[in-house]
Amino acid sequence: MTPKVFLTGGTGYIGGSVLHTIVTAHPEYDVTVLLRKVPGAFSSTYPKVKIVQGDYDSFDVLAEEASKADIVVHNGNSDHEPSLSAIITGLLKRSSPGFLLHLSGTGIVSDWADPTYLGKLNPKIWSDIDDLGEISSLPEHALHRNTEKMLNATIADHSDKVNIAIMCPPDIYGRGRGRGLAKTWSAFVPFFVKESMGLGGKVFYYGEGMNTRSWVHIDDLMIVYLKVVEAAAAGGGGFGWGKEGYYFAGTQEVSHIEVAKASGKILKKHGVIKDEEPVQVSTEQLDAMMKLPRFPKLARYMFASNSRTRPHRAEKLFGYKGTAPTLLESLEEDIMQAVKSL
């Protein structure tokens, strides 16, 4: 039977790439996508994809479409509780168990809130097999903790009715697959370039600059997504769901000082800055960056924290490893696109 897939966030960087990946690999799937605004060329690009209009606050629309879908792939705002609640409500109305792939992120294991390792290398490396107990009991300030708690509660109460996979990618790089109909680039590089310009054209680091994060190319991330979607379409057998349904996707680690040094060379090469050498910023300078009312210390997370993870589940299930160019190999294209957008 042809699986019915309902996808949200279809014009986002990840969601647009997931949509394109699914439709390209499996044109036989019955795919419906939630769109707040429909890009002009969307229907001609994806003529078989059904469109329902709404946003993450369209509770009834989300619940109705989830109830009709065999597989829901929920992208976009990882922290948005009403949309997740609506999708779970809809899936629980199904006569047979459905599948949910929810986008979270390794920000949940970032050490940004603890000054101990800001700007320093944290030796802790998180496993999506060995550390699930610790991940499920992280403190309330952990990013994405609110929605992961909702998912964990659903797993505890309704594992017989909903099969859940928490997709937890690290920082992502590379051009998205949305064919110009979706956001094409990830967040880290544009933010770093923008803040460097705000420092008078100086790439920067905090502390020792040895804080280290996991990374994945968008193309490699799509391998994980497609494998999990295909497993759901086949009934879920052999893959992890519920308590075992946690998927990291990092393929490499890079320290912030490595990113800063490589960025400085690229920006100088293209005449954007004059001095390629990174400068050390103070705590006050760091905290003055990227001010958001709901996340006043966002720059600590972006530029000074550690978030080191290993995709042990994907490695075990299907021999997952990175095949795309590395971050440092791809950085020039990402940086120059960020410069252009400024």
Side-chain angles (χ1 to χ4, degrees):
M1 186 172 66
T2 301
K4 294 183 178 180
V5 179
F6 176 51
L7 184 141
T8 67
T11 56
Y13 177 57
I14 297 175
S17 296
V18 173
L19 173 63
H20 184 75
T21 298
I22 293 173
V23 171
T24 301
H26 292 284
E28 75 278 11
Y29 284 9
D30 183 348
V31 179
T32 298
V33 62
L34 176 81
L35 296 178
R36 182 171 61 87
K37 294 181 179 179
V38 182
F42 190 91
S43 294
S44 60
T45 304
Y46 303 118
K48 294 179 63 177
V49 173
K50 301 181 183 70
I51 299 170
V52 292
Q53 289 197 259
D55 58 26
Y56 295 131
D57 291 314
S58 301
F59 188 97
D60 292 340
V61 174
L62 287 163
E64 173 67 16
E65 294 302 323
S67 72
K68 297 186 295 186
D70 302 305
I71 306 166
V72 178
V73 186
H74 188 33
N75 306 290
N77 188 343
S78 300
D79 302 326
H80 194 268
E81 296 180 26
S83 60
L84 180 56
S85 177
I87 288 169
I88 292 171
T89 298
L91 284 168
L92 290 176
K93 292 180 179 179
R94 287 176 45 84
S95 59
S96 60
F99 292 83
L100 169 61
L101 281 70
H102 173 82
L103 173 63
S104 186
T106 60
I108 194 168
V109 298
S110 166
D111 58 6
W112 68 272
D114 183 350
T116 303
Y117 289 107
L118 287 180
K120 301 177 182 178
L121 178 66
N122 189 332
K124 173 66 175 179
I125 300 174
W126 297 82
S127 166
D128 56 8
I129 292 179
D130 300 331
D131 294 320
L132 291 184
E134 193 173 354
I135 292 170
S136 67
S137 58
L138 287 165
E140 296 301 305
H141 65 252
L143 301 181
H144 317 314
R145 172 75 172 138
N146 61 323
T147 45
E148 288 205 10
K149 284 174 63 178
M150 293 174 63
L151 293 164
N152 289 331
T154 303
I155 291 167
D157 296 338
H158 303 291
S159 61
D160 58 329
K161 296 181 180 180
V162 184
N163 299 289
I164 293 174
I166 300 176
M167 312 300 288
C168 201
D171 289 285
I172 310 170
Y173 63 96
R175 185 186 293 270
R177 295 184 177 185
R179 285 193 172 182
L181 303 174
K183 184 180 176 184
T184 313
W185 303 94
S186 190
F188 180 93
V189 171
F191 281 137
F192 183 61
V193 171
K194 181 179 180 181
E195 295 301 333
S196 295
M197 295 302 100
L199 285 175
K202 299 284 187 179
V203 293
F204 61 91
Y205 64 97
Y206 177 79
E208 300 170 4
M210 294 306 297
N211 50 292
T212 297
R213 300 157 78 98
S214 296
W215 288 85
V216 65
H217 192 286
I218 188 70
D219 289 349
D220 287 330
L221 177 60
M222 291 304 103
I223 294 172
V224 181
Y225 261 94
L226 185 59
K227 290 288 188 181
V228 178
V229 169
E230 289 175 336
F239 268 58
W241 306 97
K243 291 181 179 180
E244 304 300 320
Y246 211 88
Y247 292 86
F248 287 146
T251 59
Q252 68 215 262
E253 284 190 341
V254 187
S255 68
H256 183 83
I257 194 66
E258 289 178 284
V259 174
K261 288 179 177 179
S263 299
K265 290 180 179 179
I266 292 166
L267 290 167
K268 182 180 179 182
K269 170 186 170 182
H270 289 275
V272 180
I273 63 176
K274 295 181 179 179
D275 186 356
E276 68 182 56
E277 287 301 312
V279 297
Q280 186 184 58
V281 295
S282 66
T283 304
E284 292 73 22
Q285 287 175 302
L286 185 69
D287 288 344
M289 298 175 181
M290 303 182 66
K291 302 290 285 185
L292 286 180
R294 63 184 178 86
F295 197 167
K297 295 182 179 179
L298 177 57
R300 295 192 182 197
Y301 164 65
M302 293 293 290
F303 308 128
S305 73
N306 295 268
S307 182
R308 307 177 66 193
T309 58
R310 293 291 185 273
H312 289 154
R313 191 170 306 282
E315 290 173 352
K316 181 179 179 181
L317 285 171
F318 50 89
Y320 174 64
K321 63 179 180 179
T323 59
T326 67
L327 170 67
L328 296 183
E329 290 169 344
S330 303
L331 194 57
E332 186 165 6
E333 182 183 17
D334 283 46
I335 284 180
M336 295 318 297
Q337 178 62 35
V339 170
K340 183 191 296 185
S341 68
L342 289 176

